[in-house]
Amino acid sequence: HANTVGQMPPQRAELAVDTSAAVSCEKRWLPCRPSGTPPAPRCSHTATPLSAQKFLVVGGGSCTAAGEWTHFGDVHEFDARAHSWRELVPTEGELPPRRGHCAGVHLRQQALLVFGGTSGGTGMRELLNDFHRFDLQRRAWLKLPTTGTTPRPRRGGMSALSEQRGQLWVFGGSDSSPSPLPPAPTLAAPLTLVPPFVFYSYVPVYPGLDGDMYRYDLDAETWHKEDSHGAHTPAVRTFCR
């Protein structure tokens, strides 16, 4: 073929590489200085995805050097694309302050679900097993009925929400005051698959934890205890993710 000056032969065009447009594979942390008012410093809160660019921070606690706890029942939305915070102030009802709870978002119903946690220390009188729903459109809290086989009060459990089935699953957590640590704690398996959960970290296993699995049906508003025993059942644990 005849070629004009400056043109690449057609048969070699696919081999051309523009090195100036090469994408860097470097991974590094960058400072984020978001606008808006961020949540107060806290721990044991939940950060639940709302979309590909947004997540909700719910509850949590803050402890002073003297061991006095302050708990939160607020909801904050972070927009990762806009780098901005905003508080979702409820127009109706409220979430009793807590930390160490479970949370999930039902996207189709536009509802945030919160279960359990603790409103104080680690004693049984301060652990919770109540269930609350936050309507993200109306910004209204509603305490849901807890009929059926309700999980015992706990903190540090983990949860997963099945959008298709309309169910919230809860596993693990601590339902009593912490026991003295054994000299050599047993370590859980590094990777255990129990749909819809994936346990992927080494977690010390101590006495006083609950290894049962529960599910809450949103339509029936009923708790069920699952038979989750078997060869691949994960060891009991708390604060796993």
Side-chain angles (χ1 to χ4, degrees):
H1 300 280
N3 299 308
T4 341
V5 176
Q7 283 187 326
M8 185 177 288
Q11 67 270 23
R12 295 178 58 84
E14 59 182 322
L15 301 178
V17 177
D18 183 5
T19 56
S20 65
V23 178
S24 172
C25 293
E26 181 185 4
K27 303 295 189 295
R28 58 196 180 100
W29 285 99
L30 296 174
C32 179
R33 299 179 178 86
S35 60
T37 303
R42 63 192 65 194
C43 68
S44 300
H45 51 281
T46 51
T48 307
L50 182 59
S51 68
Q53 300 293 336
K54 298 179 179 180
F55 65 86
L56 300 176
V57 169
V58 183
S62 174
C63 186
T64 67
E68 298 176 351
W69 280 94
T70 297
H71 289 87
F72 305 97
D74 48 1
V75 180
H76 297 261
E77 178 190 273
F78 182 73
D79 189 322
R81 176 171 294 175
H83 287 193
S84 63
W85 283 104
R86 67 166 179 159
E87 183 177 358
L88 304 185
V89 179
T91 59
E92 181 180 337
E94 63 179 5
L95 176 69
R98 66 194 62 212
R99 78 181 196 277
H101 50 279
C102 298
V105 170
H106 195 289
L107 296 175
R108 180 170 50 84
Q109 295 184 5
Q110 283 293 286
L112 167 68
L113 305 169
V114 174
F115 165 76
T118 178
S119 60
T122 55
M124 284 296 291
R125 289 178 298 178
E126 297 169 313
L127 296 178
L128 305 168
N129 67 341
D130 50 352
F131 200 20
H132 298 263
R133 180 183 187 274
F134 184 61
D135 188 315
L136 294 169
Q137 294 182 332
R138 296 178 50 239
R139 297 192 185 180
W141 280 107
L142 175 67
K143 185 176 181 180
L144 296 176
T146 53
T147 58
T149 307
T150 306
R152 295 189 299 274
R154 69 195 58 214
R155 65 186 183 97
M158 72 169 297
S159 62
L161 192 144
S162 172
E163 181 86 14
Q164 183 177 5
R165 297 181 180 180
Q167 298 172 341
L168 181 78
W169 298 69
V170 173
F171 174 82
S174 174
D175 62 359
S176 64
S177 299
S179 304
L181 303 183
T186 305
L187 292 180
L191 178 62
T192 308
L193 301 178
V194 182
F197 298 97
V198 178
F199 304 97
Y200 60 86
S201 60
Y202 285 95
V203 181
V205 177
Y206 300 120
L209 306 182
D210 184 6
D212 294 327
M213 179 88 77
Y214 298 86
R215 64 177 169 87
Y216 186 87
D217 289 321
L218 297 175
D219 291 335
E221 297 184 337
T222 303
W223 281 105
H224 302 270
K225 184 177 180 180
E226 293 296 312
D227 181 9
S228 57
H229 302 290
H232 301 290
T233 302
V236 295
R237 62 195 72 194
T238 186
F239 287 106
C240 51
R241 293 292 181 266

